[in-house]
Amino acid sequence: MVEIKQLAAGFQVCGATFDEVFHSRFKATMAAHAVALGDATASGRPVAIILPSDWGDTILVEPGRVAPRAVSADTLGAARG
């Protein structure tokens, strides 16, 4: 779970491995999405973003695809024998 809290100092984004305050609602929202996507991809399960009550409903972020590792021509040649 990732949560955005509205504080006098700005917008706090809290997650399992992340805790930072932003002065912009936009930056806080983008950070929350990035943290949630990273957590969801690492765990393989959806992660909720809890928003302040007047911002709307909870957002559920699904795991992303893990990009395939780059393979060099040398690696391909060695694999082919």
Side-chain angles (χ1 to χ4, degrees), residues 3 6-7 14 16 24 28 32 35 40-41 49 51 54 63 65 68 75:
E3 184 174 8
Q6 195 165 354
L7 310 172
C14 302
S24 159
V35 171
T41 301
I49 300 175
L51 303 171
D54 60 339
R65 294 183 341 155
T75 305

Side-chain angles (χ1 to χ4, degrees), residues 26-52:
F26 176 78
K27 288 180 181 179
T29 302
M30 293 299 100
H33 277 83
V35 171
L37 180 59
D39 289 352
T41 301
S43 70
R45 295 188 307 227
V47 172
I49 300 175
I50 308 299
L51 303 171

